[in-house]
Amino acid sequence: MKCIINRRAQFSASHRYWLPELSEVKNFEQFGACARSPGHGHNYVLYVSMAGDLDEYGMVLNLSDVKQVIKREVTSQLDFSYLNEAWHEFQEILPTTEAIARTIWHRLAPHLPLVRIQLFEHPELWADYYGNTMEAYLTISTHFSAAHRLARPDLSYEQNCEIYGKCARPNGHGHNYHLEVTIKGDIDPRTGMIADLVAFQHAVEQYVVEPFDHTFLNKDIPYFMDVVPTAENIAVRIRDLLQAPISAIGAQLYKVKLIESPNNSCEVYGIAAETTIAPTQAREPVMTNG
């Protein structure tokens, strides 16, 4: 039986986005505050996912051994470091979240049966790398608050209550929606980026957060005057709104995850990714170890 196990690790490090071949003006135009000297820091959280068969002891790998490998090959070298100078790879490519994740993969791959490296720069920004050359995934998370009512106009109040329960009440109800948007693309071998992060964040803010925040979706968003704003329909609408802006910044919209409440969430994939499931979803059940 194949299983995936996950090991968590962390390190604190600083970095700077600066290309010596660019002028100071160009560096600040491209990287904004991240170009400031001497740099800035993060508390990085790393998840290493590994796959294998269960042995006679009920384990894929001895986690004590895994811990030591990650410490030796990664965290002991990166913790309290200046990333631009910590590893020779970052002399050629900037240590962005996605570039760090890819580099960690190649540092660990000779020692562990990897299936994914996931690196959180902070809780609202993380990258996933699956070992596919320069291809990586970058996710940002944000939120908006909105009210909605679940009811079809062609049905009676009683019929809507049968379908949607309390959510059909006439005056609606609200949520603090948590939104995660994932893009996919090739890491630029010099900038280390899938796409311009600021442009990515701006697209989500401009096309989703700003127009949706503090609205009654059924009444304030024309699209939902005719479409019931279930979490699923909202996620699909967000996907459709972001498809072109994400393409315009040189990336592919991979996934939209909308968390309506701690108990309810949904995921939809970008148009180009609808026929492709996420790499970890194609594998056997996940075992998480502390």
Side-chain angles (χ1 to χ4, degrees), residues 17-81:
Y17 294 172
W18 183 271
L19 294 176
E21 62 267 29
L22 300 182
S23 67
E24 180 176 357
V25 171
K26 290 292 185 181
N27 270 297
F28 276 97
E29 283 180 356
Q30 184 157 357
F31 304 121
C34 294
R36 291 175 181 168
S37 178
H40 61 283
H42 301 284
N43 294 316
Y44 291 92
V45 178
L46 170 67
Y47 291 92
V48 179
S49 299
M50 301 149 283
D53 293 310
L54 294 179
D55 64 19
E56 60 183 308
Y57 305 107
M59 298 188 296
V60 172
L61 295 165
N62 185 304
L63 286 177
S64 295
D65 294 340
V66 171
K67 177 182 178 181
Q68 292 306 312
V69 170
I70 295 171
K71 181 177 181 180
R72 182 185 72 238
E73 301 295 329
V74 178
T75 57
S76 66
Q77 300 181 41
L78 298 187
D79 200 23
F80 291 91
S81 74

Side-chain angles (χ1 to χ4, degrees), residues 254-287:
Y254 182 69
K255 183 175 72 173
V256 169
K257 180 176 181 179
L258 186 67
I259 303 171
E260 185 176 84
S261 74
N263 298 324
N264 300 320
S265 67
C266 66
E267 301 176 14
V268 296
Y269 288 84
I271 300 299
E274 280 187 327
T275 58
T276 305
I277 63 174
T280 52
Q281 291 178 339
R283 304 182 186 276
E284 295 294 327
V286 173
M287 295 173 57

Side-chain angles (χ1 to χ4, degrees), residues 51-127:
D53 293 310
L54 294 179
D55 64 19
E56 60 183 308
Y57 305 107
M59 298 188 296
V60 172
L61 295 165
N62 185 304
L63 286 177
S64 295
D65 294 340
V66 171
K67 177 182 178 181
Q68 292 306 312
V69 170
I70 295 171
K71 181 177 181 180
R72 182 185 72 238
E73 301 295 329
V74 178
T75 57
S76 66
Q77 300 181 41
L78 298 187
D79 200 23
F80 291 91
S81 74
Y82 179 54
L83 293 172
N84 300 64
E85 299 175 353
W87 283 347
H88 68 83
E89 290 93 338
F90 299 137
Q91 303 301 309
E92 299 298 326
I93 189 170
L94 292 179
T96 61
T97 315
E98 52 267 50
I100 300 169
R102 178 179 180 272
T103 305
I104 288 174
W105 173 287
H106 288 292
R107 292 275 178 148
L108 291 177
H111 311 284
L112 298 171
L114 302 178
V115 293
R116 181 182 70 168
I117 292 294
Q118 184 176 63
L119 183 67
F120 284 77
E121 186 171 284
H122 55 72
E124 296 182 351
L125 174 65
W126 64 93

Side-chain angles (χ1 to χ4, degrees), residues 93-94 96-99 126-129 134-139 182-189 191-197 200 246-247 249-254:
I93 189 170
L94 292 179
T96 61
T97 315
E98 52 267 50
W126 64 93
D128 293 274
Y129 182 75
M134 297 300 283
E135 182 184 88
Y137 300 77
L138 189 68
T139 302
T182 301
I183 59 173
K184 172 185 175 182
D186 287 340
I187 301 171
D188 185 280
T191 67
M193 296 179 175
I194 292 174
D196 186 309
L197 176 59
F200 178 21
I246 295 301
S247 179
I249 65 172
Q252 175 186 321
L253 179 62
Y254 182 69

